[in-house]
Amino acid sequence: MLLGTNLKYTKAYNFRIVLETIRRFGPISRAEVARRTELTAQTVSNITRELLDMGLIYEAERLRDGRGAPSIQLTINPDGAYSIGLDLDRDHLTALLVDFAGQIRHRIHQALDGALPPDKAMDLLARTAETLLQETGLPREKIWGVGVGIPGPLDVSEDGHVTNVANPKAFPGWHRVPVVEILERRLELPVFLENNATAAAIGERWYGAGQHIATFFYVFFSEGLGGGLIFNGQPYDGHSGNAGELGYCYLPPEVLTAEDLTVFQKPHLGILFNVPRLYRRLEAAGHTARSLEDLEQLFQEKNPILLDWLHTGLEHLAPIILAVEYILDPEAIFFGGRLPEPIMTYIIEWLTQRLAALRIEEKPPVRLLPGTAGVDAAALGLATLPLYIQLAPGLHVLLKTGDGEAPARGRASSAAR
């Protein structure tokens, strides 16, 4: 169905456009906001007055520009809004509380030994979010929401409610778990669910080097391999909500061992980047490997097992990255997630050389860039999610559903402001 808009939704969109302009280019004058947005001075004045009343921005120093009176500069108020990100995987939970400027105010990290059953996971997520609030002393009303991330693929029901949050083979017992409903009831806060790869891409777009890149792909390394897509400035989920899941691309069975095929059943690219699989190989050869710090030390020592793991995976990843280049034509491809920085740098350098050999000469290369959030990329992206969904400009703000309401993203909380 084709949907129209009206003045109500145009106002909401203009509100977000003005806020985003101040966030990205501030300190900035009202006149400069009007110039950049092509809105009238009166419209900008009305919206900035509302933003000031909400505490999302404040008036900074005056700046003299020309002969007139100095103009008042507007800038984001870091204390104007806060949000929480909870990145859950089989091997860890990372929780961040961030302010409106993207600064991490508090961090909690806990190593896990395998996937938790849903009841224990819900207890841990709720308890950790409460701990963040207690240890920072922030009132609950200052929190705009909680972003929760679990590895994809995600199953989105017809009504847009996420009920299955992970591969049931990797997360036993998680089939059709209403995560949003459970945590909203426990925390009394809006909850937003996203796969952690897409969340990392959103965080890169909102706070990282992707702020000025409209279309990019994000390759995400965690316990396995995932991906997220920002298209024309907006996260693109695809039909089922799983766009970017390059870890599930087909892999020839002969690449894997019999044990691999027993554990993972269907061969796919993500197996080659499975970190527990790497740990098992290293420990079988007598090397201590239980953490990212261990991997970094082994990499510095040029451990042959680790290097073989890297090179085997990258040989099969390179054609997929080339396909991303040709099919999506992004301006950049980011690489981030839970691998040590030296290994991530090596991956980018290796792929840059390999892709140059594979790419047709007429095709200009796509920039391969490191993600800016390091190992906390998913957690920061998830903390960004409540603010992004409720405050970022997007075409979805201008559209309305059949009942006359502006639609939310499929994974958004029903309690969004």
Side-chain angles (χ1 to χ4, degrees):
M1 171 170 40
L2 296 176
L3 302 173
T5 187
N6 59 32
L7 186 60
K8 172 183 175 182
Y9 302 112
T10 302
K11 180 180 178 181
Y13 183 75
N14 288 342
F15 175 92
R16 294 182 180 219
I17 283 289
V18 170
L19 178 59
E20 177 69 350
T21 302
I22 297 169
R23 192 186 72 83
R24 288 178 59 188
F25 301 104
I28 186 173
S29 68
R30 290 173 175 80
E32 180 64 10
V33 171
R35 188 189 70 78
R36 285 183 176 272
T37 61
E38 298 186 0
L39 294 172
T40 66
Q42 185 61 53
T43 296
V44 170
S45 179
N46 292 339
I47 292 174
T48 54
R49 186 181 305 114
E50 186 176 354
L51 290 170
L52 287 165
D53 290 341
M54 293 176 67
L56 292 176
I57 65 173
Y58 66 88
E59 294 180 339
E61 75 281 1
R62 290 179 177 267
L63 180 68
R64 182 173 295 280
D65 183 16
R67 295 183 176 180
S71 58
I72 298 174
Q73 301 294 289
L74 303 171
T75 191
I76 286 295
N77 178 12
D79 295 316
Y82 297 88
S83 59
I84 291 171
L86 302 173
D87 171 34
L88 179 67
D89 209 330
R90 290 167 53 89
D91 64 341
H92 75 278
L93 169 64
T94 301
L96 301 180
L97 190 148
V98 304
D99 63 26
F100 195 26
Q103 300 167 338
I104 297 173
R105 295 296 185 94
H106 199 40
R107 179 183 189 269
I108 297 174
H109 178 81
Q110 180 175 339
L112 301 175
D113 186 18
L116 295 174
D119 56 343
K120 291 186 178 180
M122 294 301 103
D123 287 342
L124 178 61
L125 290 169
R127 188 169 63 250
T128 303
E130 292 289 358
T131 300
L132 286 172
L133 290 175
Q134 292 169 9
E135 294 185 354
T136 56
L138 285 170
R140 195 175 299 267
E141 58 268 21
K142 294 287 287 186
I143 308 298
W144 279 59
V146 180
V148 178
I150 300 177
L154 300 178
D155 179 21
V156 185
S157 62
E158 289 185 1
D159 63 357
H161 187 63
V162 177
T163 51
N164 179 38
V165 297
N167 182 342
K169 295 184 179 65
F171 283 72
W174 278 80
H175 185 62
R176 301 190 68 79
V177 178
V179 173
V180 171
E181 179 182 337
I182 293 171
L183 290 179
E184 285 191 337
R185 185 172 62 251
R186 294 279 296 270
L187 295 173
E188 298 181 340
L189 288 169
V191 173
F192 303 82
L193 188 65
E194 185 60 85
N195 77 66
N196 42 23
T198 297
I202 291 172
E204 194 69 48
R205 171 64 181 172
W206 189 247
Y207 288 123
Q211 288 186 67
H212 302 288
I213 300 177
T215 299
F216 64 83
F217 193 86
Y218 195 105
V219 180
F220 181 75
F221 298 91
S222 185
E223 191 179 75
L225 180 68
L229 173 62
I230 300 295
F231 187 76
N232 286 338
Q234 305 297 320
Y236 180 77
D237 290 329
H239 172 68
S240 68
N242 294 293
E245 281 288 355
L246 74 169
Y248 285 88
C249 290
Y250 174 77
L251 188 71
E254 58 267 21
V255 177
L256 303 173
T257 66
E259 179 186 0
D260 290 331
L261 294 174
T262 300
V263 174
F264 298 101
Q265 297 186 6
K266 290 188 177 182
H268 55 277
L269 180 63
I271 296 172
L272 298 182
F273 292 94
N274 183 268
V275 175
R277 175 176 176 266
L278 171 62
Y279 287 160
R280 290 194 295 270
R281 287 183 60 189
L282 288 166
E283 290 178 356
H287 303 287
T288 300
R290 296 185 181 89
S291 67
L292 298 181
E293 291 76 16
D294 292 338
L295 290 184
E296 183 170 353
Q297 180 62 37
L298 290 169
F299 178 75
Q300 301 293 0
E301 296 171 358
K302 299 184 179 179
N303 180 276
I305 295 174
L306 173 56
L307 293 179
D308 177 70
W309 176 82
L310 267 177
H311 293 154
T312 301
L314 292 175
E315 281 287 357
H316 291 274
L317 176 61
I320 304 300
I321 297 299
L322 193 63
V324 169
E325 282 195 17
Y326 286 122
I327 295 172
L328 300 179
D329 193 27
E331 184 178 344
I333 298 176
F334 286 93
F335 294 80
R338 292 185 55 76
L339 283 178
E341 183 179 349
I343 295 180
M344 202 71 74
T345 300
Y346 182 82
I347 287 172
I348 293 173
E349 292 174 350
W350 193 97
L351 284 172
T352 298
Q353 294 182 15
R354 187 73 179 111
L355 292 174
L358 296 175
R359 194 182 291 115
I360 61 171
E361 294 181 1
E362 293 80 4
K363 172 73 169 64
V366 172
R367 288 184 293 161
L368 306 186
L369 302 173
T372 54
V375 296
D376 286 340
L380 178 60
L382 291 161
T384 304
L385 201 61
L387 301 174
Y388 186 90
I389 290 175
Q390 298 178 86
L391 294 173
L395 292 179
H396 67 280
V397 182
L398 286 172
L399 299 177
K400 57 184 180 180
T401 60
D403 61 2
E405 294 298 324
R409 284 166 51 82
R411 299 186 174 95
S413 159
S414 58
R417 303 184 186 194

